[in-house]
Amino acid sequence: MLIDLHKPDLSKAQVRLGDLNTLTPFPRKLEYSCPSRGGWTIAHTPMIIPGSHMIYIGASACLRGVVLSAAEYEGLDRYSMVMIEEKDILSGQMEELFIEGVTDILNKLEHRPTCVLPFTGCIHYFLATDIEYIYDELSARFPDIDFISAQMTPTMKLNDHTPEEDMCRSMYLCIEEQPLNGKVVNFIGDSFPIATTGDHMKLLHKHGFHTHDPAAMDDYAEYKAMGESFLNIYSLPVAAWSAACLEERLGQQFIYMPYTYIYDEIDRDMTRLAAVLDVEAPDLTDMRTEAEESLANALSIVGNTQIGIDYMSTPRFLSLARLLLSHGFNVTEIYGDSLTPDSMPDLEWLKQHYPDIPLKATQDFRARFYPRDEEADGKVIAIGQKAAYFMGTGHFVNMIANNGRYGYDAIKSLAAELIDAYENEKDTKSIIQVKAWGCSA
């Protein structure tokens, strides 16, 4: 059956929550990428490692996007590339091109990087390039540099681990085994510094624990010191494989504390953390009360304003919708392409209480044709950049991956940002088109 690409059936790009019976409601076919670029990619994540330098080895078509990304966050001094041409593919000397290209770049840099991430591309795996030999040779030539084998392989999106998960795991490969310190804890997986006001961070500091947060580091020695931590805390699902690998390689425990907006889950995870730390479980009654008061205050100002939420704002976006709806807010649409297994309790609650709210695809090609006319007086609030784009509103909460905020503290912050979004209009176009919001070299 032919599809009219000019007048597609938009009903195929959305589903009522009440009818949703799978974690992947939208088939992966022809995809659309809307111009909200605030999420971090593999071209940005390595910038978190202090003093790191990226070298991409690939064809010009592949490198065009990453060099533009590096220029955008003023990171060209930490970015280099080796161009692969057709003759290089035919010559059978891919290993030599890789090694000599990286060597030439490193010898010409004004400042010696502490850590280098050479990026292999799809072509290297198509040609069965000897990656292990390459890194053995580079390490022998430059013993003072830590090399991390990184990949830019979009053709492998459907492998056991996505390119994003692989990049996250690679971020910690230079952390070496050392005696574990029972009073030191790592935060892993986030692109934004973990808020010091977060519930778990306050518990740690209250009991004298020292924390390592790569997104807040300036010194490579501190990055290496992450090997001393006995525990890794992660809140984004993309870091699950990283945590498991660190436990196997370094013996570090890990705990998953998802960015949930469900009170009982916050209490449960904080109690679990206290048990791992061997400290008294915190009494969160006052914090819950403060969160309730913050939401009530926001509702008194926002009122019945329509609210849309997208999956880039927070990985547990259904729990966020559940929180707001259960407190009287008027959530009318949710943007997301798939759900995580831990979203099922939130989905069941939403199906029971708000079955008519639509889940709208963002990557389906039909999403390009969503009507984007702003409602009367601009009184539509979006939570997340994709929701802001699709709803055509300047009244939005600029939140990506929860902005590093956790627990009741995140709820209080969200309430304040909802008020700000309602009262103040942002320049949506100039904000959401910037790749990797907050990334700086």
Side-chain angles (χ1 to χ4, degrees), residues 20-82:
L20 192 55
N21 55 14
T22 176
L23 297 177
T24 54
F26 306 110
R28 296 196 67 169
K29 296 183 179 179
L30 182 62
E31 293 188 358
Y32 169 64
S33 179
C34 78
S36 58
R37 305 299 187 193
W40 287 46
T41 72
I42 60 172
H44 308 93
T45 302
M47 293 296 98
I48 293 173
I49 301 177
S52 62
H53 191 93
M54 295 188 295
I55 303 177
Y56 283 82
I57 299 90
S60 59
C62 299
L63 301 182
R64 180 171 50 197
V66 288
V67 70
L68 291 174
S69 295
E72 190 169 48
Y73 61 77
E74 299 181 350
L76 288 176
D77 59 331
R78 296 177 64 186
Y79 169 90
S80 302
M81 59 185 177
V82 177

Side-chain angles (χ1 to χ4, degrees), residues 188 230-234 239-240 242-248 251-256 272 276:
I188 65 171
F230 86 100
L231 176 68
N232 292 311
I233 298 175
Y234 74 97
S242 304
C245 290
L246 286 168
E247 181 180 52
E248 180 180 359
Q252 297 174 328
Q253 302 177 52
F254 65 84
I255 181 172
Y256 175 44
R272 288 173 56 228
V276 173

Side-chain angles (χ1 to χ4, degrees), residues 108-156:
K108 291 178 179 178
L109 289 178
E110 293 184 8
H111 303 286
R112 193 78 150 189
T114 53
C115 172
V116 174
L117 296 92
F119 275 77
T120 51
C122 309
I123 188 65
H124 295 102
Y125 299 95
F126 296 156
L127 296 177
T129 305
D130 192 339
I131 304 298
E132 185 175 348
Y133 164 71
I134 289 172
Y135 281 95
D136 286 345
E137 180 63 25
L138 288 174
S139 296
R141 291 189 182 189
F142 302 97
D144 59 323
I145 295 177
D146 289 333
F147 287 94
I148 293 178
S149 176
Q151 301 178 40
M152 183 176 65
T153 51
T155 58
M156 301 179 184

Side-chain angles (χ1 to χ4, degrees), residues 194-195 197-201 235 256-260 265-270 273 287 402-411:
I194 304 301
T197 53
D199 302 1
H200 49 16
M201 188 70 88
S235 298
Y256 175 44
M257 302 185 71
Y259 284 130
T260 179
E265 291 184 359
I266 296 171
D267 292 352
R268 176 203 66 194
D269 292 339
M270 287 292 290
L273 176 60
M287 298 176 70
N402 235 63
N403 290 4
R405 296 191 174 276
Y406 174 80
Y408 291 110
D409 176 65
I411 294 173

Side-chain angles (χ1 to χ4, degrees), residues 354-374:
Y354 296 91
D356 292 328
I357 292 178
L359 177 68
K360 296 186 175 183
T362 71
Q363 295 179 350
D364 188 286
F365 76 93
R366 301 173 184 86
R368 181 181 182 277
F369 298 93
Y370 289 155
R372 297 180 50 249
D373 294 331
E374 195 170 352

